[in-house]
Amino acid sequence: GGRHDGHAWLFETVDKLSRETKDEGLKEKFCLAGMLHTNFYEGWLTEGEIKRCGLQTKRFVNKIRDILNNGK
């Protein structure tokens, strides 16, 4: 439920999920995913940082899947 209208909503949602699951790392992983998104257009990350951010983004996606499927 709720609105789905942009980046502010995404950040609010991840913040809420982070509090509900007591997983501060969720916000950090989400921010790294944002860095990858920006880097797609600007190309400033090193290859190593792209790999690191990609791994953390994959972990973020898996955690969100777990939350959606299991509520935790």
Side-chain angles (χ1 to χ4, degrees):
R3 69 183 209 278
H4 305 284
D5 61 356
H7 288 99
W9 176 83
L10 290 172
F11 277 91
E12 290 168 10
T13 301
V14 171
D15 184 58
K16 181 180 176 184
L17 288 173
S18 178
R19 283 184 274 116
E20 289 177 357
T21 61
K22 297 177 177 44
D23 184 352
E24 280 293 315
L26 202 58
K27 291 191 287 186
E28 293 173 23
K29 291 173 181 68
F30 180 69
C31 288
L32 292 174
M35 282 177 49
L36 281 180
H37 175 72
T38 301
N39 188 69
F40 178 81
Y41 298 100
E42 298 180 6
W44 49 270
L45 287 174
T46 64
E47 184 176 339
E49 283 300 299
I50 291 170
K51 288 178 181 177
R52 184 179 75 83
C53 291
L55 176 62
Q56 294 303 318
T57 298
K58 185 175 183 176
R59 290 177 177 161
F60 171 79
V61 170
N62 289 335
K63 179 66 176 185
I64 295 299
R65 281 187 182 141
D66 287 345
I67 291 168
L68 290 173
N69 293 327
N70 306 315
K72 55 182 172 176

